Amino acid sequence: MRCVIVTGMSGAGKSTALKMLEDMGYFCVDNLPVPLIPKMAELLSVPGTEINKAALGVDIRSGQNFSELEKILKDLDQSGTRFEILYLESSDDVLIKRYKETRRFHPLSGKGGRVEEGIREERKRLKFLRERADYLIDSSHMLTRELRAELSKIFVENKELYISVLSFGFKYGIPADADLVFDVRFLPNPYYIDELRPKSGNDREVREYVMNNNKAREFLAKLTDMIEFLIPNYVQEGKTQLVIGIGCTGGKHRSVTLANELYEALQKNDNYGIRIEHRDIGKDAITKAR
């Protein structure tokens, strides 16, 4: 029996994710009242039941009962009930834009309040769920097909561990969900080469410039060796998601190059899923996944 609790920020795509999981064969229930979660878990665990995959949508719409969720999850842990938490996230700017486009009110802002205030309060109330989530998906720049691909990797392919290699620029901030962060600003910067400045680490000229350096090649070899050592140990400890952040100043040249190199080195192993994302290379994130 695989039971998934689908939660996260209002407007981040929970309903869409539930519909996709339903297409993947999951029995889905949206906006389940929090007090009914233990009873639902009990019914799903009855031997001989035809349902072997279920997804329960739980969010802030549950009202006052939502405050009971943290205790209920602890009780389920203590009883040995197995469940996973999928948390859907999006940036404030994207959430505000989505609410304006749909002309809907935020559940915590009411008809007279501002969407920004509702989002801020919702983040506070969901903090405990985000911290204990098994899978965290940021849908800020995701197309519908990309979200479906991510869910398929996690809930259909049955990989033990899902690795995200993420390039970023330190001047835009360190990714909040990164488990490991590596700084490659010690490498020569292509930004100061006029013909390379407008290009990125996805371009051959930049990639050759960055990797035509003994320090870059040595760093990549040692980083790959360390990650390959960590992976089976993370799996043994029950970790299901690993986000590796590689940063340079602007997130366009050095970090993109090293992230691509690490991605290519790690994707040779079929025992885990792996994806790469370049957060700051342009306005929209560029993503590819296996």
Side-chain angles (χ1 to χ4, degrees), residues 154-190:
I154 298 172
F155 298 107
V156 177
E157 295 179 9
N158 294 319
K159 302 283 188 181
E160 289 185 290
L161 180 70
Y162 300 90
I163 301 173
S164 296
V165 180
L166 173 66
S167 72
F168 69 94
F170 277 98
K171 70 177 183 180
Y172 301 114
I174 297 175
D177 59 339
D179 298 293
L180 303 171
V181 175
F182 299 95
D183 185 347
V184 296
R185 287 177 291 185
F186 65 91
L187 297 173
N189 193 350

Side-chain angles (χ1 to χ4, degrees), residues 78 91 125-126 134 144 161 199 211 215 224 226 243:
Q78 293 174 357
S91 66
R125 298 191 189 185
L126 295 181
D134 296 285
T144 302
L161 180 70
K199 299 180 182 294
M211 296 309 298
K215 291 182 180 179
T224 303
M226 183 181 70
V243 180

Side-chain angles (χ1 to χ4, degrees), residues 254-288:
R254 294 166 292 180
S255 62
V256 173
T257 297
L258 267 299
N260 284 335
E261 294 284 346
L262 180 62
Y263 171 79
E264 291 181 5
L266 295 179
Q267 69 170 341
K268 298 173 184 177
N269 192 323
D270 292 329
N271 293 326
Y272 47 81
I274 185 168
R275 66 189 292 269
I276 186 168
E277 178 180 345
H278 302 307
R279 191 191 71 177
D280 299 323
I281 198 172
K283 184 176 180 180
D284 296 320
I286 298 177
T287 305
K288 60 181 178 179

Side-chain angles (χ1 to χ4, degrees), residues 37-71:
I37 291 179
K39 179 60 68 176
M40 176 65 73
E42 181 181 338
L43 291 173
L44 293 173
S45 63
V46 173
T49 179
E50 295 182 0
I51 301 173
N52 57 14
K53 296 187 295 184
L56 312 179
V58 180
D59 56 43
I60 208 67
R61 290 174 295 172
S62 299
Q64 293 182 348
N65 289 329
F66 191 79
S67 60
E68 304 174 18
L69 182 57
E70 188 169 10
K71 180 181 182 302

Side-chain angles (χ1 to χ4, degrees), residues 19-34:
K19 291 177 182 177
M20 292 177 177
L21 288 172
E22 187 172 27
D23 292 340
M24 297 174 191
Y26 281 75
F27 173 75
C28 297
V29 180
D30 191 14
N31 198 20
L32 181 71
V34 171

